[in-house]
Amino acid sequence: MAGDGLIDPWSSDDETDYSRIVEKFGLDMVDRSTIPNPGMLHRRGIVFAHRDLDVALRSIRDKSPLGVLTGLMPSGRMHLGHSMVIEQVRWFQEQGADITVAVADLEAMATRGTSLGSGREKAINEYIHNYAALGLDPDSTSVYFQSSRPDVQRLGFMLGRRTNLSEFESIYGFSGETNLAHVQAPLVQVGDIIHPQLDEYGGLRPIVVPVGIDQDPHLRLTRDIVGKTHWFNIKPRKSGGLTVALSVQDDNARLLGVGDDGRIDRETRDRIFSRISGVVASLGFADMNANPKHGTLEIPAATIEDRAPMRMALLALERELGGMGLMPPCSTYHRFASGMTGGKMSSSKPETTIFMNDSADEMARKVKRAISGGQSTVEEHRRLGGDCSKDIPYQYLQFFFELDDSALLEIRREYESGRMLAGEMKQLCIDRAGEWLSDISEKRDAWSDRLGEFLAPDAM
Ligand code: TRP
């Protein structure tokens, strides 16, 4: 559906040009040195880009609240590709974050025709079962269904006022023929991403959404919409420092001191300004230039570092005054592991990936057929060495199965020097993958009767 320059989150056949996307959509590259206790996917550069990850990392550092929101489409079987997000979710959970899992049963109905009943069954017995086996802790994990959480739907509906069909056309490539349920799905996803910040779901705190790059359009939409709801904007000041500027809108005009006639009501405006300066002063700034008439407050000594805590404090004030006070979501992006036969992984093409419950034999058969970076003859291989960048079994060890960095490096050296042959690489991958799958399978068995522990009360 998407034409040039668009990412289509519902398609599985376009090749990913990471650097073009990073540049075009303004993602930041992950700086590994800023991540405390980096996980395997961080250390190996697989989680490579982000938006506002520093905000989430600050919460980890300060041990202040941090939420993670992830979502799953309950269609098809869970495979290795899906497990990458869960690996990141688990990492955030270990760093103290609380976890919310959205079952996108409405989206699956809208885009795949999956009934709510079969979506529910799939979500619990296929996905959540494997999430448990992958190590999510039910004590701080809460799974809900889009179809049974009215707060999410209400948010999606309300925030729909802040966007329009043209934006959907340009983000998603929607057109006149697009089914209206499909048009609603991204708004429900905006609701998913935003709602953990509502007071009933943990309140104002940064929410990070780890995704594959295909989901970035939803994050851009969410961030764009959230930006439009803000009552107070914080901008860098031209001559240094930061400026807080009022954003007067229909629903806050009176509160921010704009009368029905458009005139500024000095008394109300001054009262708002004293609240804002109070917040800024509480962050430790004494020097401020207020211009209530223009709706700006300059803080010359503030730096870009102060922006995030200041935004948080002003969002709290916005909430006190009756606004939504929403933080833009943070996000991280991982590279996709290649499909085993080249191309992309896809649940609908079983030969392209390994499913979480594939038998050892099925797995071994796929690894043996996988694309190899070996040379065409043994003599040539010994002479030139294998090419890890083309070798799927190596890549799967790197992405999934070899947890030990130094062992992985050793494998790479052996292969590139030609000492290890392509068949030996495949066998190594089969051995490690076999251990991995049987471990997951044992853990699945241990969790079979306990999946209810993951469900939110409204998902029971
Ligand atoms: N659209 C996602 C997918 O296709 C599922 C999803 C729904 C989701 N809501 C979400 C993902 C919120 C991340 C965050 O898999």
Side-chain angles (χ1 to χ4, degrees):
M1 164 187 312
D4 260 1
L6 297 181
I7 312 173
D8 181 352
W10 296 280
S11 136
S12 57
D13 48 35
D14 46 4
E15 280 299 325
T16 313
D17 179 348
Y18 297 107
S19 52
R20 183 188 64 81
I21 293 171
V22 164
E23 203 166 308
K24 173 149 198 230
F25 298 114
L27 304 181
D28 292 311
M29 300 303 282
V30 168
D31 172 358
R32 266 171 267 178
S33 70
T34 63
I35 299 183
N37 321 310
M40 174 172 118
L41 299 180
H42 303 122
R43 296 194 309 269
R44 299 181 185 178
I46 295 168
V47 171
F48 74 105
H50 72 96
R51 295 183 190 273
D52 286 352
L53 177 60
D54 43 314
V55 175
L57 295 179
R58 186 190 303 256
S59 287
I60 293 175
R61 215 178 315 120
D62 299 349
K63 303 199 184 313
S64 59
L66 172 66
V68 174
L69 184 286
T70 183
L72 65 96
M73 191 77 120
S75 71
R77 294 164 65 196
M78 179 164 170
H79 58 65
L80 286 179
H82 300 117
S83 75
M84 296 175 73
V85 162
I86 302 313
E87 170 63 21
Q88 292 177 73
V89 170
R90 196 178 54 84
W91 181 83
F92 279 112
Q93 189 169 42
E94 278 170 8
Q95 315 308 311
D98 65 84
I99 313 299
T100 309
V101 181
V103 175
D105 58 347
L106 291 177
E107 183 182 4
M109 155 158 288
T111 63
R112 310 261 154 95
T114 310
S115 75
L116 296 182
S118 79
R120 179 184 174 88
E121 202 274 321
K122 262 254 144 67
I124 296 176
N125 297 325
E126 178 79 17
Y127 288 84
I128 303 307
H129 202 170
N130 281 304
Y131 289 12
L134 285 168
L136 289 201
D137 176 356
D139 289 347
S140 57
T141 305
S142 175
V143 177
Y144 73 95
F145 294 84
Q146 287 178 330
S147 67
S148 50
R149 188 160 280 187
D151 291 320
V152 162
Q153 297 167 37
R154 194 180 306 134
L155 256 186
F157 193 100
M158 273 166 56
L159 293 171
R161 296 193 64 206
R162 311 277 182 172
T163 179
N164 59 33
L165 278 175
S166 306
E167 193 178 12
F168 272 41
E169 233 170 86
S170 76
I171 295 183
Y172 300 109
F174 286 169
S175 67
E177 289 77 52
T178 305
N179 181 314
L180 286 182
H182 199 156
V183 177
Q184 293 193 65
L187 284 173
V188 178
Q189 184 153 343
V190 171
D192 288 331
I193 294 172
I194 291 305
H195 92 285
Q197 300 182 43
L198 300 182
D199 293 335
E200 304 86 309
Y201 298 94
L204 181 59
R205 67 200 186 292
I207 302 296
V208 58
V209 188
V211 288
I213 202 116
D214 62 314
Q215 297 295 304
D216 185 53
H218 300 301
L219 283 142
R220 266 186 288 133
L221 175 68
T222 308
R223 290 170 63 91
D224 185 50
I225 288 178
V226 163
K228 290 177 186 162
T229 69
H230 288 159
W231 290 18
F232 310 112
N233 291 321
I234 305 174
K235 304 169 187 163
R237 181 168 161 267
K238 284 199 188 67
S239 38
L242 295 173
T243 299
V244 178
L246 297 187
S247 168
V248 178
Q249 305 158 22
D250 288 349
D251 54 357
N252 67 12
R254 196 178 286 236
L255 263 149
L256 297 185
V258 181
D260 292 339
D261 54 2
R263 282 232 202 92
I264 290 176
D265 170 44
R266 256 333 260 268
E267 213 175 295
T268 314
R269 182 57 65 92
D270 285 347
R271 230 180 305 124
I272 284 291
F273 264 72
S274 79
R275 296 293 301 273
I276 301 174
S277 353
V279 164
V280 173
S282 74
L283 296 171
F285 298 99
D287 184 19
M288 293 174 238
N289 315 321
N291 189 336
K293 215 170 127 195
H294 283 103
T296 57
L297 179 88
E298 300 181 317
I299 311 136
T303 67
I304 203 77
E305 293 286 295
D306 300 314
R307 195 171 172 167
M310 193 173 297
R311 186 166 56 189
M312 187 84 140
L314 288 170
L315 289 173
L317 175 63
E318 183 188 317
R319 286 185 183 207
E320 267 179 54
L321 297 171
M324 301 183 78
L326 302 177
M327 289 194 82
C330 318
S331 49
T332 61
Y333 304 89
H334 63 78
R335 290 178 201 283
F336 292 113
S338 312
M340 303 185 80
T341 50
K344 278 201 173 183
M345 278 189 186
S346 163
S347 318
S348 57
K349 298 181 199 138
E351 69 284 4
T352 64
T353 187
I354 295 170
F355 293 100
M356 306 299 285
N357 60 359
D358 268 350
S359 69
D361 287 349
E362 281 166 314
M363 174 275 291
R365 193 167 38 78
K366 293 183 203 178
V367 174
K368 284 181 188 147
R369 287 187 193 157
I371 293 191
S372 155
Q375 307 296 342
S376 39
T377 64
V378 173
E379 293 71 48
E380 227 172 279
H381 191 92
R382 295 281 186 218
R383 189 159 49 85
L384 301 172
D387 183 349
C388 285
S389 72
K390 296 211 178 86
D391 200 273
I392 300 286
Y394 173 78
Q395 197 190 103
Y396 280 30
L397 287 166
Q398 182 189 31
F399 275 59
F400 308 110
F401 305 130
E402 180 51 75
L403 311 186
D404 179 338
D405 289 350
S406 53
L408 184 71
L409 186 65
E410 183 58 23
I411 292 168
R412 183 184 191 104
R413 288 217 185 97
E414 288 291 301
Y415 198 53
E416 288 179 341
S417 69
R419 282 192 294 272
M420 182 190 287
L421 297 174
E424 293 168 327
M425 179 68 92
K426 287 190 169 173
Q427 192 53 49
L428 197 63
C429 180
I430 289 170
D431 294 344
R432 288 283 176 287
E435 291 160 17
W436 195 86
L437 287 174
S438 86
D439 177 54
I440 296 285
S441 156
E442 268 169 40
K443 289 183 173 145
R444 263 200 312 269
D445 289 344
W447 279 104
S448 313
D449 303 328
R450 299 182 53 194
L451 297 179
E453 291 175 33
F454 289 86
L455 302 184
D458 61 7
M460 299 294 193

